[in-house]
Structure formats: C-alpha cells, structure tokens
C-alpha cells in the first residue's frame, strides 16, 4: 500500500484533555518517499553505536516544515546511552520549540560497509521515548503522528502517540502535587 505524505497542518489531530485517545490508524506499507523518513535514516548514519552496531535516527518535523534530527549515542556504561528520539526532541526544542512539533519519524538498523543503513525490522520507540513523545504531544496540543521505519525505509508503520502509549502519564497527572 502506498501512502502519500500528509501536509503539515493536517499531520496531527488536536490534543484535548490529559489523555490522548484516537481511533487506531496504523498504516503499514512502503513509504521511503516520505522526506521525514529519509531524514531519520540520514540521522541514523551519524549514530555512535560501537557496542550494539545498531544505529537509530529520529527526525522531528514542525508545523512549519522545519526538521530537527538526532541519533542514538551509546556509552561503555550502557545505561548512559541516549536514544535517538530524546536527542531529536532536544534538538527540536532548541530549533523551534515543542509546541510546534507535528510528527516524528524513527528508523534504524545496521550501517553496511557501503555506508548505507539497512535492516528489515521496523524500529519502534522504547517505552521511555514514547513517554517523552507524549510529553511533547501535551505541550504541542496535538496527538503526534509517530512514523516507524525499517533500516531501508521500505516498510513503515504510522500511529498516533495516543495509540502507542494509551494510558500515559502527563502534566495533568501532577495536579495533586501542589
């Protein structure tokens, strides 16, 4: 199934309330022509992954079409590694602000001797990154579209963050903290 990229203004649904609920909208199929997936794949090529040799890239698109990218960075002390999504969200915050985020793409795999990102399995965000994306969704007021792609960019899934983390913890959960 071929899917045409959405326009920026329609890329995400409005976010209302503490929890984001949306009808399931997974789209599975080829989408290597999506510019955001290409940016995520390019970002993966800049990953520092000497231990796992599994490079992940993430691209975040603003409602104005600006792109911020990040990649995973491993560390010999494994727990100090940084996920591509957190790196990209931080770059997006600096570049245009979390309130302008429209959608996010993640891609990963191994970088071959030819310097090309490859891999058949679709890479999805871990639970911690889903929580960070949900926080950005709350700030932006949109149910952010999360595109997950394989290394080659030939297979993708598209889900709203509310579907990937349906009962997520957000700012509204802190109302009793005062």
């Amino acid at each position: 199934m071929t899917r045409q990229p959405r326009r920026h203004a329609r890329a995400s649904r409005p976010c209302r309330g503490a929890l984001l609920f949306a009808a399931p909208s997974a789209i599975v199929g080829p989408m290597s022509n999506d510019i955001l997936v290409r940016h995520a794949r390019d970002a993966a090529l800049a990953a520092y992954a000497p231990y796992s040799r599994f490079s992940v890239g993430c691209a975040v698109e603003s409602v104005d079409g600006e792109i911020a990218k990040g990649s995973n960075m491993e560390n010999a002390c494994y727990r100090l590694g940084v996920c591509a999504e957190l790196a990209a969200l931080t770059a997006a915050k600096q570049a245009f602000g979390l309130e302008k985020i429209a959608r996010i793409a993640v891609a990963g795999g191994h970088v071959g001797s030819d310097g090309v990102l490859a891999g058949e399995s679709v890479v999805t965000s871990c639970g911690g990154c889903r929580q960070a994306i949900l926080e950005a969704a709350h700030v932006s007021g949109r149910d952010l579209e999360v595109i997950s792609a394989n290394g080659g960019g030939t297979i993708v899934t598209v889900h709203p963050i509310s579907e990937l983390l349906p009962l997520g913890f957000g700012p509204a959960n802190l109302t009793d903290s005062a």
Side-chain angles (χ1 to χ4, degrees):
M1 173 168 109
T2 302
R3 179 180 175 270
Q4 296 299 318
R6 295 180 188 176
R7 307 266 302 125
H8 309 302
R10 294 181 294 162
S12 353
R13 286 174 280 223
C15 166
R16 292 184 178 86
L19 298 176
L20 305 173
F21 290 104
S25 63
I27 298 171
V28 181
M31 195 164 101
S32 59
N33 63 336
D34 188 310
I35 190 74
L36 201 60
V37 172
R38 286 189 296 219
H39 279 292
R41 293 182 68 237
D42 287 345
L45 296 176
Y48 177 71
Y51 307 108
S52 71
R53 299 203 182 344
F54 191 80
S55 298
V56 180
C58 180
V60 178
E61 185 176 34
S62 77
V63 293
D64 300 322
E66 292 180 74
I67 306 287
K69 298 189 283 187
S71 56
N72 63 318
M73 188 171 91
E74 295 178 350
N75 189 287
C77 178
Y78 291 141
R79 70 178 198 85
L80 296 180
V82 175
C83 293
E85 295 90 332
L86 292 179
L89 285 168
T90 301
K93 169 64 174 132
Q94 297 302 312
F96 45 78
L98 297 178
E99 64 281 352
K100 288 189 170 186
I101 294 177
R103 59 191 194 128
I104 297 173
V106 181
H110 65 277
V111 179
S113 58
D114 57 359
V116 174
L117 185 68
E120 294 302 315
S121 297
V122 171
V123 173
T124 60
S125 299
C126 72
C129 288
R130 291 177 189 200
Q131 181 65 45
I133 294 167
L134 181 68
E135 181 83 11
H138 283 281
V139 171
S140 74
R142 285 179 284 283
D143 191 2
L144 299 178
E145 178 179 89
V146 180
I147 304 166
S148 301
N150 69 343
T154 57
I155 303 170
V156 301
T157 63
V158 181
H159 299 274
I161 189 58
S162 63
E163 187 178 301
L164 296 175
L165 194 62
L167 299 174
F169 184 88
N173 296 104
L174 298 174
T175 57
D176 293 333
S177 67

